[in-house]
Structure formats: structure tokens, C-alpha cells
Amino acid sequence: MAKEGVANIVWHPTTVTKEDRQKRAGHKSCVLWFTGLSGAGKSTLANAVEQELHQRGLASYVLDGDNIRHGLNKGLGFGEEDRKENIRRIGEVAKLFVDAGVIVLTAFISPYRSDRELARSLVEAGEFIEVYVKCPLEECERRDVKGLYAKARRGEIGQFTGISAPYEEPLQPEIVIESSEQTIEESVAAVLAYLEQAGILTYEKKHDA
């Protein structure tokens, strides 16, 4: 049964369109969805890419997993259902950024393929770019930037991705970054090269056939 009042909610179209906003910004908008194990380097890479986009005068914004849990998703835990809700909300927020004409970069473990595919389905074809920041578990543990793996191994953190909870690798990501082998400069260059080839970094008005 639908929740009370939902049937009476009607989508109100905006006067200014996504295309209008993209044209004003001078580039297309999209979601760069960075996924990978904790410690793989998602946030580091997302912020490095955004720095380059910012220097080029492009509209961009990073949504970081830990930062979002300080506010929007503050009440969510790390069980499977809460993880799914965490990503569902981020997908919806990312969609709004795309509609606003912004290149949004999301850095979340997002361990389940179905959740990432749900986020992809919220935007148009070509607007969701999955960036798999691939790094061996052993290397992530060696880095253990936040000390989380050590706690997980001691049983102090339950349902920790890669240790006591699964991570489902992307099957066909748009970009794969081998963060244990590529430098941050090489990784940024690879992401930017994809954006350039995909025509994201400029705005070209579509012409009717």
C-alpha cells in the first residue's frame, strides 16, 4: 500500500532545464562514481580529479562517504540494508547535481553491484561513469589509513567490507584505476582522458536530425 499522501504528489517541471544549465556552465554534467575497497584511494583520487576540474573552471563537487555520514546519512549504520539506503540516497543526490549541470564525484565503497546499477539507472545514458579504484586487499590493509582493517581483524568492527562483508567488483566499469600500480598523476590523467573522449568537458548543443 502506498504511503499516505504519495498518490497526491505530482512532479513539477522546472522552467530552466538541465541543458540550459550545462550550456551556461560550458560543459556536460555527469556522475563519476568511484568505487573500491576501503583504503583503495577513492577519496584521494576523486579530490585530485576535482582539483583539476576546478582549475579548468568547470563546475564540480565531491560527495565523500565519511563526510555524507556526518549529515545526510548520519543515522545509517553499516548493515546491508543501511548500506543500500546509504547508496540509494547518494544516487538521488548525485542525480540532482547532474540536473544542476555539475560534474559530481562520489567516493563510496558501494559494495553491491545492484546498488551501483540503481544509481546508474537514475541518470541518462552516458551520465554515469563507474570508476573502479582497484587495489589488492593486502595493499589496502597495509595502508590501513584509518586503522579500520586492524579493528575489523580484531572483531571490533562488524560487517567490514573485504573482511566480514562482501565486495562485488564492477563487471564492466567505464574506467579501471590500478591504484597500487598507477601514480595519482597517472590516475587523474586517465579519468580526464575519458571525460574528454566522452565529450563531457565541453557543451555541444544537440541538433535535430
Side-chain angles (χ1 to χ4, degrees):
M1 180 180 296
K3 293 184 179 180
E4 184 179 356
V6 171
N8 299 318
I9 296 176
V10 179
W11 184 267
H12 192 288
T14 58
T15 303
V16 179
T17 68
K18 175 175 64 178
E19 289 70 26
D20 292 331
R21 301 183 187 104
Q22 291 177 339
K23 185 176 181 180
R24 183 179 181 85
H27 60 84
K28 298 289 182 64
S29 53
C30 68
V31 182
L32 279 167
W33 192 281
F34 295 82
T35 178
L37 293 172
S38 177
K42 300 179 298 300
S43 295
T44 299
L45 179 54
N47 279 279
V49 171
E50 194 203 13
Q51 184 176 25
E52 180 62 30
L53 295 174
H54 181 72
Q55 289 177 346
R56 295 189 184 193
L58 307 181
S60 61
Y61 194 83
V62 172
L63 296 173
D64 181 80
D66 282 358
N67 293 353
I68 291 296
R69 282 182 177 274
H70 277 87
L72 177 65
N73 293 347
K74 186 176 182 179
L76 297 178
F78 291 90
E80 182 174 347
E81 290 307 310
D82 276 5
R83 282 182 179 274
K84 287 181 175 292
E85 176 60 15
N86 183 50
I87 298 305
R88 187 195 70 79
R89 293 183 189 180
I90 297 311
E92 293 289 353
V93 171
K95 177 184 177 181
L96 294 177
F97 272 94
V98 172
D99 191 56
V102 175
I103 297 173
V104 57
L105 307 90
T106 74
F108 293 82
I109 295 173
S110 47
Y112 303 113
R113 293 191 192 104
S114 59
D115 295 340
R116 299 194 298 267
E117 287 307 307
L118 174 61
R120 181 187 293 273
S121 73
L122 296 175
V123 295
E124 295 181 22
E127 292 182 339
F128 186 94
I129 302 166
E130 189 173 39
V131 184
Y132 179 22
V133 185
K134 188 176 183 179
C135 187
L137 175 61
E138 297 75 17
E139 175 61 17
C140 291
E141 285 201 71
R142 188 192 67 78
R143 298 173 181 177
D144 205 9
V145 181
K146 303 172 185 176
L148 300 179
Y149 282 101
K151 291 182 179 179
R153 290 293 188 188
R154 293 195 300 267
E156 297 174 14
I157 301 178
Q159 297 192 339
F160 189 80
T161 303
I163 303 298
S164 52
Y167 176 77
E168 298 173 358
E169 290 187 324
L171 298 178
Q172 293 182 308
E174 280 72 16
I175 305 171
V176 178
I177 298 296
E178 300 272 1
S179 65
S180 62
E181 300 178 10
Q182 295 171 261
T183 66
I184 189 66
E185 292 80 12
E186 291 170 339
S187 301
V188 170
V191 175
L192 291 173
Y194 181 93
L195 293 178
E196 289 172 352
Q197 292 168 7
I200 300 295
L201 302 186
T202 56
Y203 180 84
E204 294 183 8
K205 185 176 178 58
K206 296 180 181 178
H207 297 283
D208 295 331

